[in-house]
Amino acid sequence: MPGETNLSVLLKSMEPEPDAGEYIFCSTAESGQGVDARDAWAVISEDEGKTLILKRESADRCGVRYESVFRKITLKIHSSLDAVGLTAAVSAALARQGISANVVAGYYHDHIFVQSANAAEAVDALKKLAAENNNK
């Protein structure tokens, strides 16, 4: 089944679901030995090295240095990689609350990483965005 491309449908049906775990971002160029990409939730290749998104427990076990701790919120609608505007709408809703959003798109879902301390407020903001679009 192809992913949804209609922005209105995406926004009203996104069902933000927070993950209970905490995550960190690190670079293989800076994190030293002991980091295994197989432990990563995601690997992003950049010119400077690979960025890994790891569960915090894995990072701590491997002695990885990191700056911030994040929670992952998954939008449970199957969004198309060709959809236009979902990332912008979600980022804008979170920005209005002063919440930084790091978005990673998978084949089926969009995943938003927010600072752990802001996770509950971020979920509320996304649910409010969905509700506002249900009234349109």
Side-chain angles (χ1 to χ4, degrees), residues 8-79:
S8 178
V9 172
L10 287 166
L11 291 174
K12 43 177 116 164
S13 307
M14 63 180 165
E15 297 182 41
E17 182 177 284
D19 184 298
E22 291 185 307
Y23 295 82
I24 64 93
F25 287 64
C26 69
S27 169
T28 57
E30 297 178 11
S31 61
Q33 300 298 326
V35 179
D36 189 339
R38 293 176 295 187
D39 289 335
W41 181 85
V43 178
I44 299 131
S45 295
E46 300 180 284
D47 290 343
E48 298 83 0
K50 295 195 183 302
T51 295
L52 306 180
I53 303 174
L54 299 169
K55 286 268 194 171
R56 183 180 189 179
E57 303 86 52
S58 294
D60 290 343
R61 186 178 62 250
C62 295
V64 173
R65 295 180 307 270
Y66 51 88
E67 296 172 22
S68 299
V69 179
F70 299 88
R71 293 276 305 277
K72 175 174 58 104
I73 302 168
T74 298
L75 305 182
K76 296 305 288 185
I77 184 151
H78 179 184
S79 56

